Amino acid sequence: MRFLVWSMPLLAVAMLVGSGRVSSLVSGLVGTIVALLVAMAAGPLDFTPADAAGACARGGWLACLVGAVILSGLFFREIVVGGRSPPADTAINGRRAKLFGTCFLVGPFAEAATGFGVGQVTTVAGLGALRLQPREVVVFGLLSQAMVPWGALANGTVVGAQLAGVGSTELGVRSAVLTAPLLLGWLVLFWHFARDAGVSASYRELVGEVTW
C-alpha cells in the first residue's frame, strides 16, 4: 500500500495524459501537486514546506535547462521552415543537394548545438519541403543523429573524458577518427535510400558528398 501511495504522482500524470482531455502542462502541474502532497503526508522522511519550496526551485531550474534545449531546437526548425519550398519543377540535383545538406550538415549541427535528439526536429522540417514519403522522411531524419556523441550524449562524452584524463583536443581528434568510418557507412546507406526515394545523383555529386 505504501508503494502505491508513493506511485500516485506518476499514476495521476499517466491517467491524465492517457485521457487526452487535458494538456501536458496541466498534467504536469497536477503531478507536481500530488507529489508534494504525498511527500509531505506519506514520505519516508520529514518533508516540510521549506523543503518543498527548495525542491520546486531545483526542479524549476532543471526545467529551464531542458526548456532552453527545446527552444533552441524550435529556433533551428523555424529557420529551416522559413526558407521557401522548392518549386514543383525543381531539378533533381537541387533536391539532392538539399537532401544531403539537411541530413549531413544542418541536422547534425542542430543536434550538436542542442542535444536530446532535438536535431531531428530540424531535419524533419527541412525534409518536409522535398515532397518525400512519410517513411522516407523518418529514415532520413535518423541521419540527424550522426553527431549524437556531441548532442544527446555530450554530457556523458565530456564527463567520461574527464574521468579518463583525456583533454578536449585529444578527445575531439579521437572522436573524429572513430566517427569518420561510421559517417562513410551512413553515407552509403544515404545513397541507397536516396536512390529508392527517386533522388538520384551523378558521379560528380557522389564524389562531392564523400568530400563533405
Side-chain angles (χ1 to χ4, degrees):
M1 185 64 183
R2 178 177 54 183
F3 294 104
L4 178 61
V5 173
W6 291 351
S7 302
M8 288 302 297
L10 178 61
L11 295 176
V13 173
M15 292 176 62
L16 290 174
V17 172
S19 69
R21 297 182 179 181
V22 297
S23 65
S24 58
L25 177 60
V26 174
S27 301
L29 290 175
V30 172
T32 301
I33 295 173
V34 174
L36 290 174
L37 294 176
V38 170
M40 288 187 290
L45 301 174
D46 291 335
F47 195 75
T48 65
D51 295 327
C56 289
R58 291 190 296 272
W61 169 248
L62 294 176
C64 289
L65 297 178
V66 177
V69 172
I70 296 175
L71 289 176
S72 299
L74 294 177
F75 172 74
F76 284 121
R77 178 185 180 278
E78 289 301 316
I79 292 177
V80 174
V81 175
R84 294 182 178 179
S85 300
D89 59 349
T90 298
I92 290 297
N93 60 347
R95 291 183 67 206
R96 177 69 178 216
K98 185 173 179 61
L99 179 62
F100 175 81
T102 301
C103 292
F104 283 94
L105 301 178
V106 177
F109 170 77
E111 173 62 24
T114 58
F116 294 97
V118 177
Q120 189 163 353
V121 176
T122 305
T123 304
V124 170
L127 295 174
L130 298 178
R131 300 182 298 279
L132 299 170
Q133 296 295 325
R135 67 176 184 278
E136 297 168 346
V137 173
V138 172
V139 171
F140 287 124
L142 292 175
L143 292 174
S144 68
Q145 305 301 297
M147 295 297 177
V148 75
W150 299 108
L153 302 179
N155 291 335
T157 301
V158 175
V159 172
Q162 291 178 347
L163 293 176
V166 178
S168 58
T169 301
E170 184 180 1
L171 174 63
V173 172
R174 293 192 177 188
S175 296
V177 172
L178 178 64
T179 304
L182 296 177
L183 286 174
L184 291 176
W186 292 326
L187 181 59
V188 173
L189 289 176
F190 170 80
W191 290 343
H192 170 73
F193 291 118
R195 183 177 65 251
D196 288 349
V199 188
S200 59
S202 65
Y203 286 109
R204 182 176 180 179
E205 290 171 327
L206 295 179
V207 172
E209 292 174 354
V210 172
T211 304
W212 275 105

